[in-house]
Each structure stands twice: as C-alpha cells, then as structure tokens.
Amino acid sequence: PERKKTYLQYRIGKMYLAGLVCTQYHKPAADWLERAAEKRHKYAQYTLAGLYAKGQGVEKDLGHAFELYRSSAAQGNPYASYELGKMFQNGAGTEKSMEQAGIHFRNAFSGFLDLEKQSHDDRLQYRLGQMLYQGIGTEKDEEEAVRYWQLAAKLGNGNAQYALGKFWLDTGTGDIRQAVEWLERSADAGNAPAQYVLAKLYLEGDQVETDMEKAVGLFEKAADQGNGYAAYRLGRLYLEGEMIPKDVEKAARRLTEAADQDLPFAQYTLGCLYLAGEEIPKDMEKAV
C-alpha cells in the first residue's frame, strides 16, 4: 500500500508538470514530487532534481539537484546518471571532475542500452545514437550511431530524422534523396533545425531544385521557433531584396531577433544599419 501511495504521489506530480491539472503547475508538482522523493522513488527524485536545477516551482539549488540525481542514479536510473555526468563535466552543483563525469556517462550509456533492448523506444534509440556519435559514455562510432538513428527515424522520431539527414548531407554518405526526405519529415513535424537546414538547401539549390517560396517559408517557421540562424538569413534576404521583395521593416525585426541571440554577424549588420541611417532611422547608441 505504501509503495502504491508513493507511486501515486509521483504520478500526480507528473500530471501537474504536464499541465493536466491546472495552469500554475510547477509549485504543486514540486510538492507532490517531494513527497515521493522523500520515500526514495527514483523517478520522482530525477524529475524533482530537474525542477531544482531550473528553479521551477522551487528555489534554484544545484547542490540539492545533484544530491537528488545521485540518489536516483544509485537506484539504477540511467537518466539520472547522464545528468550527473553533465554536472561533473560542468562543475555544476559539485566539483568539476572529468573522471567522475566519464564514470556516470558510461553508466548512463549501459543503462540506456538495457532499456532500449526491452522497449525499442525511439527516444532511447536517438539518445544512444547521439552518445555514439559524440563519444559520450562510449567509444565514438558513427556507423553504430547511424544505425540507431535509422531505427528511431523509422519510428517517426523527428530529432533522429534530422540527425540522420544532416549527417548524410554533411558527409556525402547515404542516399541524398533519402537524406532530404528525412529532413522534410522532421521539418513537417516542427523540428526547427531541420526547417533551417532544408531552407538553406532550397535557397542554394545545390542538392535540390531552388525554391524560394519553400526556402522563405521554412526560414520563417524556424525563426518563429527561436532559431537565430534562420532569423539572420531572413533578415539578409529581406534587406538585400534580390531574391525576394525588399522589406526593411521585416529585415530589421529578424536581424534584431538574431542579434538578441548573440549572433555576431546579425549584430554587425544591424549596427551598420543604425550607423548609416539610410534604411532605418539613425541611432548611434544602438549602433555602438
């Protein structure tokens, strides 16, 4: 009975986080998760640690987040092991230690492998692909990374479709048409990086036929999701007015979005515009 009660406390906390109970969800979610975490529910500890790491519903406390992740990882939660690896790597909530980071990343990779064998979950397959590609918790193995990405992509994982398509385009391996198709599927599912890469393809016309309408539409979708690179490219296109009708107002808005994300080329271009005062009102303070 006590174990069931603990699980229910965890589930109620998750329901609050998912916005299924009310709109102001972080505080009550944290309260319910605290109850389950106190009884050493490993997934409640893991989820609550994320709230403490971000300061959502509780006061930000990286040290407490670290302790919760450590307790969860000790109970065999590979997701907590992965977060511990990152905290040791960055020196967040604990002393920086690449040795400890490596240990926890290896534990995470091993745990994810076991979970994937049981569930064949596309999110795990994508995660394993990323770790293999980057050499995190395991030896770098691009061929094996691609194999996992393919498994996940076929199950409809948009992140894996993007990773696979971009890898094939960047390396010239795989089928180019299939690479573009994976990017199309990922972009259709709302993946902003895929929308940006695909927009560049349609803009440049090297591997697909040039299509400015598609390129601009995809840049717009990516920029609306906060992709600074897409916002910069749009700003340049609207400013130059060669491939699409010139629109200085739109150009300035998109360049500002990119500049606010610390993209230096956007900051430089916008600075030049404010300095010259020809396309937009001159503003020396903003220019500087």
Side-chain angles (χ1 to χ4, degrees), residues 45-281:
Q45 291 172 331
Y46 169 75
T47 307
L48 184 61
L51 295 181
Y52 274 105
K54 297 171 187 171
Q56 295 177 326
V58 291
E59 190 173 340
K60 187 172 180 176
D61 188 337
L62 290 176
H64 191 45
F66 174 81
E67 292 302 329
L68 285 165
Y69 281 136
R70 185 159 66 174
S71 180
S72 181
Q75 297 180 70
N77 182 355
Y79 294 96
S81 294
Y82 187 84
E83 293 302 322
L84 276 179
K86 290 200 296 184
M87 295 187 88
F88 274 116
Q89 185 179 58
N90 300 322
T94 185
E95 288 293 318
K96 188 171 183 175
S97 171
M98 297 309 291
E99 182 183 355
Q100 284 295 315
I103 290 170
H104 288 290
F105 281 138
R106 286 192 292 275
N107 288 342
F109 184 79
S110 177
F112 291 145
L113 274 179
D114 290 340
L115 287 177
E116 194 281 325
K117 286 173 186 173
Q118 299 167 27
S119 65
H120 304 297
D121 182 88
D122 63 279
R123 290 166 298 182
L124 282 169
Q125 291 164 346
Y126 168 69
R127 187 186 281 262
L128 286 167
Q130 289 294 97
M131 293 180 78
L132 283 157
Y133 179 69
Q134 296 170 18
I136 297 174
T138 183
E139 290 295 316
K140 185 167 181 169
D141 189 334
E142 291 184 352
E143 187 176 336
E144 189 68 357
V146 166
R147 187 179 75 81
Y148 274 110
W149 284 339
Q150 284 179 301
L151 290 171
K154 288 172 183 175
L155 290 173
N157 187 292
N159 290 323
Q161 291 167 344
Y162 163 69
L164 189 56
K166 190 169 187 303
F167 178 79
W168 281 346
L169 286 176
D170 289 347
T171 61
T173 58
D175 186 292
I176 298 301
R177 285 178 299 176
Q178 182 64 66
V180 173
E181 187 179 328
W182 284 130
L183 289 171
E184 291 274 12
R185 290 191 192 183
S186 183
D188 288 344
N191 185 292
Q195 291 166 345
Y196 171 69
V197 171
L198 204 54
K200 285 205 302 178
L201 291 179
Y202 282 118
L203 176 68
E204 294 158 5
D206 293 332
Q207 289 153 318
V208 295
E209 190 175 338
T210 301
D211 189 325
M212 282 305 300
E213 187 177 347
K214 275 189 178 181
V216 172
L218 286 162
F219 277 139
E220 293 277 7
K221 286 179 180 178
D224 287 343
Q225 292 191 73
N227 187 298
Y229 297 101
Y232 171 68
R233 293 300 288 267
L234 272 175
R236 293 297 309 222
L237 286 170
Y238 282 125
L239 186 62
E240 291 159 3
E242 295 174 2
M243 305 179 83
I244 59 173
K246 186 167 184 169
D247 190 322
V248 177
E249 186 178 333
K250 282 185 179 179
R253 177 167 60 86
R254 290 303 190 183
L255 287 169
T256 300
E257 290 171 2
D260 287 344
Q261 293 186 51
D262 290 332
L263 269 68
F265 290 111
Q267 294 167 337
Y268 172 71
T269 303
L270 207 52
C272 289
L273 287 173
Y274 280 118
L275 180 65
E278 296 171 1
E279 305 278 9
I280 58 176

